[in-house]
Amino acid sequence: MPQLADPQGGFAAALLDHAAALPPGLVAPSGWPVERRFRVYRNNVLAGLGSALELRFPVVRRLVGEAFFRAMARDFVLAAPPRSPLLLHYGEGLPAFIEGFAPAAELPYLADVARLENAWWRAYHAAEARPIEPAALAVTEPATLLMASAQLHPSLQLVTSPHPIVAIWATNTQDETVRPITAWTAQDALVSRPGAAVELRSLPPGGYRFLAALLAGASFAAAAEAAQAASAQFDLACNLKGMLEAGALVGIRPGAELEAGS
Amino acid sequence: MPSTLPCRAGVGLKPEHYRTILAEAPAVGFFEVHAENYMGAGGPPHRYLSAIRERYPLSLHGVGLSIGADRPLDLAHLARLKALIQRYEPSQFSEHLAWSSHGEVFLNDLLPLPYTDATLARIVDHVGQVQDALGQRLLLENPSTYVRFEESSWSEIDFLAEIARRSGCGLLLDVNNVFVSATNHGFAAEAYVDAFPLGEVGEIHLGGHAPEADEAGAVLLIDAHDRAVADPVWQLYERVPQRTGPLPTLIEWDDQVPAWPELLAEARRADACLAAARPHKQPRETRRAAAG
Amino acid sequence: MKIMDSATRLALAGALATVVAGLAAPAFAQADDMEKCYGIALKGQNDCKAGAGTTCAGSASIDYQGNSWKLVPKGTCVTMELPDGRKGSLEALDRDLPKA
């Protein structure tokens, strides 16, 4: 009997599999039934983790309603319980889960909105760093900057989507009654927390590719080239200004060729 | 490192109250936080906790170490706790007589243990390991439970006393947990408190519980921390400082969190009980004041 | 590394000038503004309480996988303004939930 060799394993399995038999050896006073008592533990697992997900995904919750969210959260919890006692990391996998969750198929933007909420959450808990002063860039030679790579703020998060995720997020966060989306266009988002508050911005054409390349370690020149290749409308000045406004840049690392003495 | 928490009422720190606390600087003995909520890299939780820590003593209460697990302790988690303790220098650290992880999976609940020799040996080992790693004495809290185990051969009190004796840890007496478990398992809460090794107790917890019923119609109390401390729990609590003298006493209110004044009123009530227990006061008069 | 063409260099030089000219020195968090000093205070997720709903919510009362009812999203309606002024629904139809 596996429960005897691994009693906590049996108990844990019965918590997560609601069709499973109760673990053996549990007692209630006077021989009263134990099923409902055990169910308190089952519920604690689901209710606590469900609340953690509700807190992390308030826009998804508003988009689908409370009953739907709870049912989806329950499924997610049972399929993918946390792997860490740090619940602030729990829910990273919800966007991918939503993509495969048939009852949510009618909301094709839902998974990307969940990705945006994940990004917001990561930025909220990210390490502190002091963004570079724009004036510090003024003294940088253009040629130096071109060859340099970016030291980006640890809170910086990027989300790309074919749906207007920033507009959906904004109206569901700020408005009592949601506003219609004026243009159903793709939106890429930049999330940062340069100080105490999380900031969310939508990116101009090519901006996502530009910042994603910088995140991957590319020089400003290479990142600009990638962005130009992605969109002819890419505007380097606009993107540099935006990333500074977002506090996304902490410093620059001189390029190898310049260090070698050019 | 001995506990330096003041023998006054403290309050579980909730984000809903961060700003009020910083703005009004209420007279509260200490604040307690759940360690795991401050294990992110940065951000507002740390900004607020740092600001509040500058002004108040802090007690760190772990909910994720899974000391009762039948697997080795999570060393990465232990390292995170150590780092948090170094950063915030809390007056003490406490955890639960429970398990909450199985292997890789974190179950997010304080799960019950059979009180056997084997469990005892394992927990003594784990407590020793935690105390060695953190370089300080741990307080271990008595749990609220909803089921018991046929195979248990120790009473909960003897079990806790023996853990304390063998490992050198202290105990955290959660009076609401005593009342919840006593009701759920049909034993006398007063007798439990009277028999508890009070000399090892470094802190008391008080919280609210929710009444439900099992399928046989018997009252089943849930440790919900979603309301004020119940009157019978206050009465049970009064027995403790009468015997031990004042002890740091925490009000836990984690769900349906009330406005700050309501929470503060609970702390004031605990302070009144503690004052009533001070030897230089006249017990009868102060006790009447506490009840009023 | 590929050498940037002169047009790009020129664009970048212009960009740097714009960046500096167009941005006033950012004001760092003001000490008298709590929200700005410390940020939005979200609840912590680890707790030591029993969950809301207790004995019932953990039972099989929500079971869209069974035959009781089909789960449909019923939250806020995300709509799009169509060119002719009508609103197009991108939301699930407002169907009633069949009773369990």
Side-chain angles (χ1 to χ4, degrees):
Chain A
M1 214 168 151
Q3 282 87 349
L4 288 179
D6 180 16
Q8 289 190 350
F11 198 102
L15 286 175
L16 294 173
D17 177 1
H18 292 200
L22 296 192
L26 303 181
V27 288
S30 317
W32 287 336
V34 293
E35 181 165 358
R36 190 144 190 191
R37 290 156 186 265
F38 184 74
R39 228 191 273 156
V40 175
Y41 293 108
R42 274 185 176 157
N43 177 63
N44 284 349
V45 174
L46 285 182
L49 296 174
S51 303
L53 294 171
E54 274 190 54
L55 189 63
R56 183 170 181 156
F57 299 99
V59 174
V60 169
R61 185 190 173 283
R62 193 172 178 202
L63 285 168
V64 300
E66 185 182 343
F68 187 98
F69 190 89
R70 289 209 173 159
M72 183 169 73
R74 184 184 118 120
D75 249 35
F76 176 72
V77 166
L78 296 179
R83 301 271 151 179
S84 159
L86 271 63
L87 287 188
L88 59 90
H89 294 322
Y90 189 51
E92 283 289 329
L94 190 67
F97 180 84
I98 289 172
E99 263 172 4
F101 188 65
E106 295 163 82
L107 309 182
Y109 47 83
L110 195 64
D112 282 348
V113 173
R115 284 191 180 90
L116 184 55
E117 295 205 282
N118 257 350
W120 195 98
W121 188 261
R122 284 188 218 123
Y124 181 81
H125 287 292
E128 309 287 340
R130 194 183 174 89
I132 197 170
E133 298 281 349
L137 269 197
V139 298
T140 310
E141 284 294 320
T144 306
L145 185 63
L146 280 173
M147 294 308 154
S149 58
Q151 284 176 284
L152 295 165
H153 196 279
S155 69
L156 178 65
Q157 302 285 328
L158 302 173
V159 183
T160 181
S161 176
H163 308 291
I165 51 171
V166 177
I168 294 172
W169 186 93
T171 189
N172 278 281
T173 307
Q174 292 147 25
D175 301 331
E176 213 164 295
T177 307
V178 296
R179 283 165 297 155
I181 308 296
T182 47
W184 195 268
T185 53
Q187 277 186 326
D188 299 333
L190 180 157
V191 187
S192 60
R193 207 199 78 246
V198 178
E199 299 176 11
L200 170 63
R201 292 170 165 83
S202 64
L203 287 167
Y208 176 81
R209 286 294 297 275
F210 178 64
L211 289 165
L214 289 178
L215 262 178
S219 67
F220 281 89
E225 272 177 26
Q228 269 155 357
S231 169
Q233 294 164 273
F234 174 72
D235 178 339
L236 182 56
C238 164
N239 278 275
L240 274 177
K241 186 172 189 291
M243 79 185 279
L244 284 169
E245 282 169 354
L249 193 63
V250 171
I252 58 171
R253 274 188 216 95
E257 284 136 316
L258 288 167
E259 278 176 346
S262 66
Chain B
M1 192 192 294
S3 169
T4 51
L5 269 192
C7 292
R8 293 171 55 193
V11 172
L13 179 62
K14 306 312 286 181
E16 291 88 335
H17 303 137
Y18 284 155
R19 272 175 227 133
T20 306
I21 291 162
L22 288 174
E24 297 178 6
V28 168
F30 63 96
F31 285 101
E32 184 164 294
V33 296
H34 294 126
E36 285 72 12
N37 288 331
Y38 296 88
M39 288 184 176
H46 286 293
R47 288 169 181 246
Y48 282 107
L49 185 58
S50 299
I52 288 169
R53 177 68 187 94
E54 279 172 22
R55 296 156 172 85
Y56 294 94
L58 180 71
S59 166
L60 199 61
H61 190 50
V63 296
L65 202 47
S66 198
I67 284 177
D70 62 6
R71 304 287 172 95
L73 286 179
D74 179 345
L75 297 182
H77 197 60
L78 203 48
R80 286 192 286 263
L81 277 170
K82 192 177 170 74
L84 198 62
I85 286 170
Q86 282 168 346
R87 176 168 181 179
Y88 288 105
E89 300 180 336
S91 300
Q92 70 190 21
F93 173 66
S94 51
E95 251 286 357
H96 299 83
L97 176 63
W99 60 289
S100 51
S101 290
H102 184 69
E104 296 272 285
V105 176
F106 177 65
L107 294 155
N108 189 43
D109 193 24
L110 300 167
L111 299 164
L113 289 160
Y115 300 142
T116 63
D117 291 348
T119 315
L120 180 70
R122 187 170 78 228
I123 289 173
V124 168
D125 277 354
H126 284 174
V127 169
Q129 199 183 345
V130 173
Q131 294 185 140
D132 288 349
L134 302 183
Q136 67 184 67
R137 190 183 193 216
L138 167 82
L139 299 188
L140 196 65
E141 177 179 338
N142 61 300
S144 275
T145 57
Y146 309 100
V147 297
R148 292 206 280 189
F149 293 83
E150 229 162 25
E151 60 175 317
S152 287
S153 53
W154 290 76
S155 76
E156 189 170 282
I157 293 169
D158 291 345
F159 195 74
L160 280 163
E162 188 64 8
I163 292 169
R165 193 185 68 78
R166 288 201 208 168
S167 70
C169 77
L171 299 175
L172 192 163
L173 176 60
D174 188 316
V175 177
N176 181 59
N177 286 357
V178 172
F179 189 79
V180 165
S181 290
T183 306
N184 291 347
H185 305 303
F187 62 80
E190 292 81 4
Y192 182 106
V193 167
D194 293 347
F196 203 81
L198 295 175
E200 305 298 334
V201 173
E203 185 185 344
I204 298 176
H205 274 183
L206 295 172
H209 58 251
E212 295 232 348
D214 74 2
E215 52 272 72
V219 176
L220 189 57
L221 296 186
I222 311 293
D223 184 32
H225 297 182
D226 63 346
R227 64 196 72 196
V229 178
D231 281 337
V233 174
W234 282 113
Q235 286 155 21
L236 198 55
Y237 167 59
E238 284 173 11
R239 299 173 84 88
V240 182
Q242 280 169 13
R243 282 147 204 258
T244 59
L247 282 170
T249 300
L250 181 82
I251 305 295
E252 292 185 294
W253 198 324
D254 296 313
D255 202 4
Q256 311 290 322
V257 174
W260 173 252
E262 196 177 343
L263 193 52
L264 187 62
E266 293 278 280
R268 293 283 173 266
R269 187 167 172 184
D271 269 331
C273 292
L274 292 171
R278 280 180 214 280
H280 62 273
K281 299 261 180 173
Q282 290 177 5
R284 208 179 281 172
E285 287 198 3
T286 41
R287 210 174 300 149
R288 201 183 304 138
Chain C
M1 179 176 286
K2 203 160 140 188
I3 296 166
M4 294 291 290
D5 58 47
S6 55
T8 308
R9 276 174 190 269
L10 206 60
L12 188 63
L16 286 174
T18 311
V19 160
V20 175
L23 265 186
F28 262 82
Q30 292 127 39
D32 59 347
D33 186 340
M34 285 297 178
E35 186 70 19
K36 268 206 163 157
C37 279
Y38 301 104
I40 292 172
L42 288 182
K43 283 184 207 169
Q45 297 183 298
N46 280 93
D47 245 320
C48 62
K49 64 180 170 60
T54 59
T55 55
C56 293
S59 68
S61 60
I62 301 168
D63 187 11
Y64 60 87
Q65 286 179 324
N67 301 318
S68 49
W69 50 279
K70 183 183 183 306
L71 191 73
V72 290
K74 278 178 75 85
T76 53
C77 189
V78 172
T79 56
M80 172 175 68
E81 279 180 355
L82 298 176
D84 59 6
R86 285 182 300 123
K87 281 178 185 170
S89 177
L90 292 147
E91 175 59 79
L93 296 173
D94 188 17
R95 278 176 267 155
D96 286 329
L97 297 179
K99 299 291 179 286

